[in-house]
Amino acid sequence: MTKKTVGQKTKDRILKAGVECWPDVTLEAVAKQAEIKSHQVVLYHFPNGTLRDAVAQYAVETGHSKVIVQLIGSGHAAVEDLSPTDRAKHFKKVNFS
């Protein structure tokens, strides 16, 4: 197993925080959730507006149904390859009440 670098661990923290913040995925909100002192650190790892799409892709890869359902509803590219069966599975997991 390959040991993760500090930078890789920071990116993982940022992505996890982004899922927790969804849909409020801003540099500031994610930095606060990830307990990172400056949003500039988030910007360093996800420059030029790539944060939201990276969080969306991470949510799909890790099976975060709450986010995936919203991505399906918005027609986001991160969910375009999900089968109808997989889409239905995520809708069943989310409590809409």
Side-chain angles (χ1 to χ4, degrees):
M1 187 167 150
T2 306
K3 191 173 182 179
K4 288 188 176 188
T5 66
V6 172
Q8 289 168 323
K9 289 178 184 178
T10 301
K11 280 182 104 167
D12 287 348
R13 279 179 50 210
I14 292 167
L15 291 170
K16 288 176 187 175
V19 168
E20 292 171 19
C21 290
W22 194 271
D24 183 30
V25 180
T26 64
L27 297 172
E28 295 82 5
V30 172
K32 182 176 180 179
Q33 183 67 34
E35 297 180 352
I36 294 172
K37 291 184 181 184
S38 171
H39 73 277
Q40 295 297 326
V41 174
V42 179
L43 184 60
Y44 172 81
H45 288 285
F46 297 96
N48 302 324
T50 60
L51 178 61
R52 189 172 181 84
D53 286 340
V55 171
Q57 189 60 46
Y58 175 80
V60 171
E61 291 170 1
T62 56
H64 284 83
S65 295
K66 179 188 106 181
V67 176
I68 292 170
V69 166
Q70 293 178 38
L71 294 171
I72 291 168
S74 68
H76 195 281
V79 294
E80 66 185 14
D81 292 333
L82 282 182
S83 70
T85 303
D86 286 338
R87 289 170 183 247
K89 175 184 76 172
H90 291 290
F91 274 96
K92 287 179 183 175
K93 286 183 178 181
V94 176
N95 181 2
F96 291 102
S97 47

